[in-house]
Amino acid sequence: MVDFVWDGACDAFQLLPPQGHSSPADQYRIARVNLIIQSADPLMFMHNFYIDKNNNIIVHTRFKSRFIMANVIWFMWYWSNASFLDTSFLKTIKNVLGVAGAATHYTLCEQEMAQLDMDPFGGKAHHDKFKEIIQAFDGLTGAEKTDLEQHLWYILEIGPSQAQGQILLGSDSDE
């Protein structure tokens, strides 16, 4: 999971400065990550959001980051871990979403450093972020919980077909 996030975080969170931007690339990246992970909402990075030209974050939907959803799909179906689903589909997919969120937060914290250095994922800090994410899911209001559950069912519905598309693409390039 961490490798997937590491490979895609710069693009998914638009950490590369636009051409002609006045800040050096590393300063732009650090400032952008600070904006995302130091916001009033400690789980901003898990939302579907947009940053306007004045650095205002506009949240479209909570807990529906397409990047994190893609990480869940890759973990569950592309890397053949669907056996984790067992009989408690929603609980399992919610936990995998939490792990994908913690891995994303971990990678963004690294991107916030001037010198990038990928450390092994794990330990208390990452476990604490996972618990924070799960507690946030559990603390949602009735309508928010329903919306999250619909999103989790959506991931369960589209996941196998999305991973299959990736497998087919991978096999086409090997020929």
Side-chain angles (χ1 to χ4, degrees):
M1 248 188 211
V2 173
D3 288 341
F4 180 92
V5 178
W6 181 262
D7 290 343
C10 282
D11 183 47
F13 290 93
Q14 300 173 8
L15 304 182
L16 305 172
Q19 187 173 357
H21 195 275
S22 60
S23 297
D26 59 342
Q27 288 178 9
Y28 181 88
R29 182 190 77 238
I30 292 168
R32 179 57 65 105
V33 171
N34 274 324
L35 185 65
I36 296 167
I37 66 172
Q38 303 297 333
S39 73
D41 182 347
L43 301 178
M44 179 63 69
F45 66 93
M46 292 192 68
H47 305 328
N48 175 13
F49 64 87
Y50 169 74
I51 300 175
D52 70 13
K53 64 181 180 179
N54 298 315
N55 285 332
N56 297 308
I57 299 178
I58 293 96
V59 175
H60 296 294
T61 53
R62 294 183 65 209
F63 300 114
K64 292 185 181 178
S65 164
R66 289 188 177 274
F67 180 70
I68 293 175
M69 181 174 67
N71 199 353
V72 170
I73 289 170
W74 273 67
F75 176 78
M76 293 303 295
W77 292 281
Y78 184 71
W79 292 318
S80 301
N81 292 310
S83 61
F84 286 134
L85 289 173
D86 199 15
T87 56
S88 55
F89 300 118
L90 287 181
K91 181 178 180 183
T92 301
I93 206 76
K94 182 171 78 170
N95 286 334
V96 174
L97 190 67
V99 172
T104 302
H105 183 264
Y106 159 79
T107 301
L108 287 171
C109 287
E110 285 188 339
Q111 291 287 334
E112 184 185 29
M113 297 184 289
Q115 180 70 30
L116 297 180
D117 182 29
M118 191 167 139
D119 291 328
F121 177 70
K124 183 162 175 38
H126 308 300
H127 179 71
D128 289 349
K129 183 50 87 171
F130 167 77
K131 287 186 350 189
E132 179 183 11
I133 292 166
I134 297 302
Q135 287 172 349
F137 291 160
D138 293 342
L140 295 174
T141 66
E144 291 170 329
K145 278 186 183 179
T146 300
D147 188 46
L148 178 63
E149 283 183 11
Q150 288 173 348
H151 180 62
L152 298 176
W153 280 114
Y154 175 68
I155 293 171
L156 287 165
E157 178 185 326
I158 67 161
S161 68
Q162 296 302 306
Q164 182 63 32
Q166 294 299 326
I167 292 168
L168 292 174
L169 287 174
S171 64
D172 288 346
S173 63
D174 292 342
E175 292 178 355

